Amino acid sequence: MKLSVWTYEGPPHVGAMRVATAMKGLHYVLHAPQGDTYADLLFTMIERRDRRPPVTYTTFQARDLGADTANLFKTACREAYERFEPEAIIVGASCTAELIQDDPGGMADTMGLPVPVIPLELPSYQRKENFGADETFFQIVRALSRPMERTARVTCNLIGPTALGFRHRDDITELTGLLLEMGVEVNVVAPYGATPGDITKLGSAHFNVLMYPETGEAACRWMERELGQPFTKTVPIGVGATRDFLREVSEIAGKPAKIDETRLRLPWYSASVDSTYLTGKRVFLFGDGTHVASAARIARDEMGFEVVGLGCYNREQARMIRSLAKDFGVDALITDDYLDVEASIEALAPEMILGTQMERHIGKRLGIPCAVISAPVHVQDFPARYSPQMGIEGANVIFDTWVHPLVMGLEEHLLHMFREDFEFHDDAGASHHGSKAVASSESTEATTRAATETPTPGNVSEMGEVIWLADAERELKRVPFFVRGKARRNTEAFAAERGLGEISVDTLYEAKAHFAR
Amino acid sequence: MNAPLSKASGCRDVPLLKERGQREVFCGLTAIVWLHRKMQDAFFLVVGSRTCAHLLQSAAGVMIFAEPRFGTAILEETDLAGMADAQAELDREVEKLLSRRPDIKRLFLVGSCPSEVIKLDLEKAAERLSGKYAPRVNVVNFSGSGIETTFTEGEDACLAAIVPDLPETDERQLIVAGALPDVVEDQMLGLLKALGIGPITVLPTTNADEPVAVGANTVFALSQPFLGETHAALTRRGARHIAAPFPFGEEGTTAWLRAIAHEFGVSEEVFDRVTAAPRDRARRAVRQASDPLQGKSVFLFPDSQLEIPLARFLTRECGMDALEVGQPYVHRDVVGPDIELIPDGPVFSEGQDVDKQLERARTSRADLTVCGLGLANPLEAEGLTTKWAIELVFTPIHFYEQAGDLAGLFARPLRRRALLKMDAPEGSLADLRGADT
Ligand code: SF4
Ligand code: SF4
């Protein structure tokens, strides 16, 4: 038993729903109690889908237990077939149905339905949503696809995009265009938009592009083995990764790597002088393994940030993330406990978080700007505009998205110069965020305090050993808010290193000189 | 006193269309989302699965609160295989929780489908833990599982679990059961006190130390129509129910107050003096807000069990025509007075077979369809105008001062549809294209 407050991933059957909902002509009969139908709203509300997910729930109740839950399942299955006339059906159990052991797969098998019925075994008490999606798609591919003649022209399949994925819709468009420029056509995109009929044609592609290892790796490995299709290992998020990806494709496809970079703006935007202020920004990264790994490379090599911590919530990627963290010289945080992530961010005090919707809320609470780079998603992660993460436009989008929460370059200097100015105090916020400035009362407060207080010891530092003297504390408050956390940490580290018990104004400035670069 | 309300069908025995099939409703765990806000020193510990945790998170609109006063003790393989003693595991989690949260005075152990299927005895656990943590923390259990409860029935199960522990009293008093937003509760208490009625206590209380007792001289009113079990539990304790229509809209609020006033022998003159001004305000507000609703038809999917009282409000006070009124369950003792007032015509359905019901909704094409979040966008995409039902349980809608807002909630989707004008008038698109080339 483990107490959980907020979760990064839903149960595995929600992963199966992400596959079923992404596809067409497939129906999912799920043995589950009524409350589990909440999952529909993830798709209809968060993703604004205009159709119900193709899921029939048996919605058994207590009075059915032991009596005829099995029949309930069969009826639901038959009625779903008659009503929706799918090309194929997947059947499975949610956490509760797993306990009553009705064996949906076995039952559906005996019903003689005239379409393929694919049973899913998703261990609800061990695994989670991403596994559920990966396994479901793998089972569908295994059941429906066969080795077949390759297409005459060089083609590939795009594997992994699902419903409720982070920017999957637009990544498909971007990648399709990139590949076409190289003369590689897309054979099938799956599961997103594919029918069971399309799945049977996967084998005619020359290779697979694994877009999201979280949801497509098991299928790609199987296709490599059984259909002889190699698959790409680079996820093309970021400038460097996109170029690497195209080189990889070029090797597999035997075509020269071509890329039209006229649309690509990230490199110049990052090099232009306004971006100088991005240098060495301390960032913390958290999300699914794939997006975190991509973001880490962009952060360091393309934005000039300093990565101070990174981690992922999906254990399937723990090994990859651990070795990545080693490269970056930081500790990997592998956890699905949101409180651990919050504690880690608090301890590291980054200047920016690149995370999920969860970290966005942590950031709000700690006053740290945050940009979202990964699922779990919220309604705002499905923007109306074209907004991919992959390829060239993806890199442009990422530059904008990451810079947006930060105070703009020139503005940062102005804030510093005029920091005593009543309009430029901390609560004023960045002008481009449209927040109304609140008049400061701090200066008057500070004067009265200075007049009445003798310099008594101020606050105990976060590390516990060092004491901030009141005047040093006051001086710290005059450091602009977006570098104050850094100043505090540096000063405390400096004091601790020297075994100082107190921090005075002098200590503060000595530390500043010490850390100056 | 008592100018009798003009009756419509006058019959609470209307036939019900009973449906059994796929239900598209939340389970009772969802009620925790509002109960934990109402009961400020309570923690709701669901003993369940990752699905339960995910439901709570999705229903709560994703992590709005730093460390909320609810959580899920997720059962793991070892708990199921009997390798770990689930009761001991639970003790350990509760110990950790209570040491981290000294502000917690009431702990609810909430059963889920998995805990009930494996027959994890939460009643035993609650007894043991109560003994251990008394008097600091009182531990109570109830079921919010989807195999036992539907959506708002979670609140019913919670309140019904509190009732047996209430101390006994012989005092003549009124209990009002049902979790209301504080501002609404204060309005209600203000009105009842102005009528000279008292003492009054409400269930649930904001804090554990507010005294509520019950006994043979207690009468009770329900402010929410989904409290069937609570009704039964209070009755078992000797209390007597004051049946009335529910306090939605001007008419409902007046009828509800009047039933209580009658019980306490309040004179007609006092009743009029206290209610005249807010009644008038409410009537004006409803008249104004309900303008887009007049003469329009409405189809209500089963969701929160507020459907019957709301259908009464919509048909009688907003001039709507109800086509179908669905409810997960119909407790005639509780909603009978509302049913009696609804004009003849609508189909009353109990339970659900969602695909069949969707077909009826598509056939009848009501001007407004009230349904859950899973159905709203798909129906909008088919050209129907919808109102999400869940907003009705998260928004203050009871009593006089909210009557106008309640009508406004239903009117907004219709007003919006009327506002949006994006279809080019016939022929003009072709003209535009023609001009382009
Ligand atoms: S229906 Fe049952 S298993 Fe599903 S969320 Fe509700 S209590 Fe948990
Ligand atoms: S803050 Fe987050 S959870 Fe709250 S409404 Fe906005 S997106 Fe939703």
Side-chain angles (χ1 to χ4, degrees), chain B residues 290-373:
Chain B
S290 66
D291 191 47
L293 301 175
Q294 298 292 332
K296 299 278 171 33
S297 57
V298 59
F299 187 112
L300 296 107
F301 276 77
D303 195 75
S304 60
Q305 311 226 102
L306 297 175
E307 290 78 13
I308 287 175
L310 290 177
R312 191 258 305 141
F313 169 71
L314 292 172
T315 50
R316 292 178 58 101
E317 296 187 50
C318 301
M320 295 192 90
D321 189 13
L323 304 178
E324 175 162 339
V325 184
Q327 274 211 172
Y329 297 98
V330 177
H331 286 287
R332 291 193 199 249
D333 285 347
V334 177
V335 290
D338 280 288
I339 295 181
E340 284 175 18
L341 291 173
I342 296 177
D344 285 332
V347 172
F348 289 88
S349 58
E350 182 182 35
Q352 192 171 27
D353 185 330
V354 71
D355 287 302
K356 286 191 189 144
Q357 195 164 31
L358 279 167
E359 272 166 26
R360 295 199 297 275
R362 288 183 184 115
T363 310
S364 57
R365 291 195 74 81
D367 296 307
L368 186 66
T369 305
V370 184
C371 61
L373 292 172

Side-chain angles (χ1 to χ4, degrees), chain A residues 173-175 177-178 181 259-267 386 388 390-396:
Chain A
T173 310
E174 183 70 17
L175 273 198
L178 272 186
E181 279 171 30
I259 180 167
D260 175 5
E261 293 193 347
T262 46
R263 286 186 300 136
L264 180 63
R265 299 192 188 92
L266 183 147
Y386 179 55
M390 291 186 173
I392 289 178
E393 191 55 22
N396 296 336

Side-chain angles (χ1 to χ4, degrees), chain A residues 360-361 364 378 380, chain B residues 61-62 64:
Chain A
R360 205 170 64 78
H361 284 260
K364 256 195 212 164
H378 208 326
Q380 65 197 21
Chain B
V62 192
I64 303 165

